[in-house]
Amino acid sequence: MIKSFVCVCGLLVSLNVVAASLKPVKGKVVDRFNNPLPGATIQVTHSPEKTITDVDGNFNFETIEDAELIVSYIGFRTLKLKTAGENFIHVVLDEDSQLLNDVVVVGYSTNKKVNLSGSVSSLNSEKLASRRVSNVSSALQGMAAGVTVTTQSGEPGGNGGHIRIRGIGTFGGDSAAPLVLVDGVEGTIDEVDPNIIESVSVLKDAASASIYGSRAANGVILITTKRGQKLRKPSITVSNTTTFAKPFVMPEFQHVYESWKSDTRTSFDWNPSDFYRTGHTINNAVTVSGGTEVNQSYFSAMTQNAVGLLDNNSSNHYNLTFRNTTNLLDGKLNIDASLMYIRTKERNMLAQGDYFNPIVPVYLLPEILREKDEYSCFERYDPDKGYAVQYWPYANWQNPYWTEKRNLFVNTKDRIRAGLGFRYALTDWLDVTAHVNYDKDKQVQTQELYASTRYLLTQYDYSSLGEYGKINADLSQVYADVAGHRQKTACDFSFN
């Protein structure tokens, strides 16, 4: 008993010593021109303690005496310093010249950030690889200032984000989306394999409209794909990423019912999450690259197979990419050839509304899960009609199990992109470029509605017999351009 008392006293004393050693630390973070830096992060080394500066660059928090602080701010060098018992710390951060000298793609050429007057954010392949996501749009979330990405669906193939740059510029729906260019050709951001991206540049302000016109009113996203490296032996990279999905947050439902006419009280177990299954997404990628001083090659193959939370919902995505670069005439002539094939097959993507959405009756009719054995047997043989029909004793909606198994929607896309580019250096400050790109997109959509499907499109009263529909779409375009680029430096001035 005495030993226990001594241990408790010792614990109380040690806690009091730690609490007493905390001291308030105030300070201000500025640049070399004494301008305040709002939003700078101050963190204690090897500790979760941290704070950020206010609009005037001031900060105030408590930490241990003689603590080491890490002060960081975007575009500036990270600084480490010790409080050394001081109550006020004046922190001056220097600009990160290496960051300003980074080369970024701006549409008409490549340039250094320090020489740009427009607002540009750039991401390299290392930053994108750090985000374990299945599509490029989700990888941009939180990686570029002024860029917001919202995801409206968690289903496979439909979990890409809606990208907005500096808010919504128009209320025209998809017309508020930025222009996306893949190696100079307009494309869809989530069709690109994240493994083949070399860099992503986001043009945010009106300067982008001077290059691409009114189509760039909502900003531009430029994607540059990888190519083979000079003087590198052939290398093979194999990667796999597997993720699983389950409903994370569910709304609260009423589980207890009571009648006002009697004292009866009824309760039952009912959880709509039981209707879902565990989804998964498997990404496999293989890349082969190498090159000499004259010729460099890059090949990539990617597969993405995803199974959704709902039965019979899946998405399969395949991507093949080949790129070859040749340098001739002592490096004056550069020839760049690329070929990309993309195939996507989506099955039973979740529909909006009531009749083709199995979730609606599950949430509104508890009996479906309470009596699962009855409703999961979604079709019964009708001797009068001579075939199995949908079992559904209600006037509205459809049996959710019937919707999953007997209302089938399949969307298949095949896309081929081929490009050939030339660049010839006339002088060390003047060059001419030419590009030719071919883009072919083929889409096939099929719809199979089995006999006895109930829905509101019975204008011809064919629902008792079922319905089959097929839509084919073939789109192709050829794009070509010729441009000259001048880059000359005189003293401290750069002319482009």
Side-chain angles (χ1 to χ4, degrees):
M1 184 67 183
I2 296 178
K3 290 183 179 180
S4 300
F5 178 78
V6 172
C7 292
V8 172
C9 289
L11 178 61
L12 292 176
V13 171
S14 63
L15 290 176
N16 289 334
V17 171
V18 173
S21 64
L22 293 179
K23 295 186 61 176
V25 177
K26 298 181 181 179
K28 186 173 184 177
V29 181
V30 298
D31 61 11
R32 60 191 179 96
F33 300 107
N34 205 33
N35 297 316
L37 297 179
T41 302
I42 298 94
Q43 183 171 5
V44 180
T45 305
H46 307 304
S47 172
E49 296 180 68
K50 65 180 178 179
T51 185
I52 61 174
T53 58
D54 58 18
V55 293
D56 296 321
N58 298 315
F59 65 91
N60 183 5
F61 72 112
E62 291 185 346
T63 185
I64 60 175
E65 188 175 1
D66 199 24
E68 185 181 51
L69 304 181
I70 302 175
V71 185
S72 59
Y73 191 74
I74 297 177
F76 289 78
R77 293 179 180 176
T78 301
L79 180 65
K80 290 185 178 181
L81 71 161
K82 289 190 176 182
T83 59
E86 298 182 8
N87 294 328
F88 187 88
I89 303 174
H90 189 75
V91 183
V92 180
L93 296 182
D94 295 325
E95 293 180 347
D96 191 341
S97 58
Q98 181 179 359
L99 179 63
L100 294 176
N101 287 327
D102 284 350
V103 176
V104 297
V105 180
V106 291
Y108 50 84
S109 66
T110 59
N111 214 328
K112 293 182 179 181
K113 280 189 175 181
V114 70
N115 296 328
L116 296 177
S117 58
S119 178
V120 180
S121 293
S122 61
L123 304 173
N124 54 29
S125 57
E126 288 77 13
K127 291 183 179 179
L128 293 175
S130 63
R131 309 293 298 269
R132 297 296 181 182
V133 294
S134 58
N135 51 69
V136 182
S137 60
S138 298
L140 293 179
Q141 190 169 19
M143 300 292 284
V147 178
T148 58
V149 182
T150 56
T151 303
Q152 298 182 349
S153 174
E155 60 186 349
N159 55 353
H162 292 264
I163 302 175
R164 298 295 181 263
I165 299 177
R166 290 184 173 179
I168 300 177
T170 177
F171 292 101
D174 291 338
S175 60
L179 176 65
V180 178
L181 298 177
V182 182
D183 290 333
V185 181
E186 185 175 358
T188 304
I189 188 170
D190 285 328
E191 285 185 347
V192 183
D193 177 13
N195 298 285
I196 69 171
I197 295 179
E198 179 67 29
S199 65
V200 178
S201 296
V202 182
L203 312 184
K204 308 174 189 177
D205 56 13
S208 58
S210 64
I211 308 172
Y212 300 104
S214 59
R215 300 182 68 185
N218 298 303
V220 182
I221 298 177
L222 303 176
I223 298 177
T224 303
T225 58
K226 293 180 180 179
R227 63 181 69 188
Q229 300 296 321
K230 292 183 178 180
L231 303 178
R232 173 175 289 187
K233 295 181 179 180
S235 62
I236 301 176
T237 304
V238 181
S239 63
N240 170 271
T241 303
T242 303
T243 58
F244 298 91
K246 285 283 287 184
F248 181 65
V249 177
M250 295 289 293
E252 295 184 1
F253 295 92
Q254 181 177 349
H255 290 255
V256 178
Y257 293 85
E258 186 173 0
S259 175
W260 64 275
K261 291 183 178 180
S262 64
D263 295 332
T264 58
R265 188 179 181 90
T266 305
S267 64
F268 55 87
D269 293 330
W270 172 62
N271 190 351
S273 63
D274 296 338
F275 186 74
Y276 300 105
R277 63 180 178 180
T278 301
H280 65 264
T281 301
I282 301 176
N283 292 282
N284 297 300
V286 178
T287 61
V288 181
S289 64
T292 63
E293 185 69 28
V294 177
N295 191 80
Q296 304 89 43
S297 300
Y298 180 88
F299 172 78
S300 172
M302 186 274 291
T303 64
Q304 181 186 100
N305 305 105
V307 172
L309 300 179
L310 298 177
D311 195 16
N312 219 16
N313 169 225
S314 63
S315 173
N316 297 288
H317 186 81
Y318 307 95
N319 190 308
L320 295 175
T321 302
F322 176 75
R323 189 170 185 176
N324 189 83
T325 305
T326 304
N327 300 285
L328 302 174
L329 304 178
D330 295 330
K332 289 186 176 182
L333 177 61
N334 177 273
I335 303 175
D336 187 12
S338 61
L339 180 64
M340 180 182 297
Y341 172 69
I342 304 171
R343 179 177 177 83
T344 303
K345 186 174 182 179
E346 301 169 337
R347 184 181 182 89
N348 278 17
M349 307 304 289
L350 189 61
Q352 302 295 326
D354 293 348
Y355 281 82
F356 294 135
N357 189 340
I359 296 178
V360 175
V362 171
Y363 278 60
L364 298 180
L365 298 175
E367 290 79 3
I368 294 176
L369 295 180
R370 289 176 57 193
E371 303 173 7
K372 182 178 179 179
D373 293 339
E374 177 182 355
Y375 289 97
S376 60
C377 185
F378 53 86
E379 59 185 1
R380 312 286 173 85
Y381 180 77
D382 188 337
D384 296 332
K385 296 181 178 180
Y387 55 83
V389 298
Q390 176 182 186
Y391 171 71
W392 188 242
Y394 301 97
N396 297 322
W397 312 299
Q398 294 193 102
N399 188 317
Y401 299 99
W402 170 275
T403 304
E404 289 183 327
K405 302 293 195 306
R406 296 295 183 258
N407 294 167
L408 308 179
F409 301 86
V410 179
N411 185 19
T412 305
K413 301 178 184 179
D414 291 281
R415 188 171 188 175
I416 298 176
R417 295 178 59 248
L420 184 62
F422 301 89
R423 178 181 177 273
Y424 185 76
L426 299 175
T427 65
D428 57 350
W429 54 271
L430 179 63
D431 59 60
V432 177
T433 61
H435 299 89
V436 178
N437 294 278
Y438 174 74
D439 189 356
K440 182 176 178 60
D441 189 1
K442 182 179 180 180
Q443 300 185 26
V444 178
Q445 297 179 353
T446 60
Q447 171 182 284
E448 300 179 24
L449 306 179
Y450 279 56
S452 75
T453 292
R454 177 188 300 174
Y455 63 121
L456 293 179
L457 51 87
T458 55
Q459 61 262 25
Y460 302 111
D461 196 25
Y462 288 163
S463 63
S464 60
L465 302 177
E467 180 179 303
Y468 177 82
K470 184 176 182 180
I471 300 176
N472 293 321
D474 289 307
L475 305 173
S476 61
Q477 62 177 350
V478 178
Y479 170 80
D481 68 79
V482 178
H485 178 224
R486 180 188 66 179
Q487 186 169 1
K488 197 172 182 64
T489 303
C491 297
D492 293 333
F493 297 94
S494 178
F495 302 93
N496 294 283

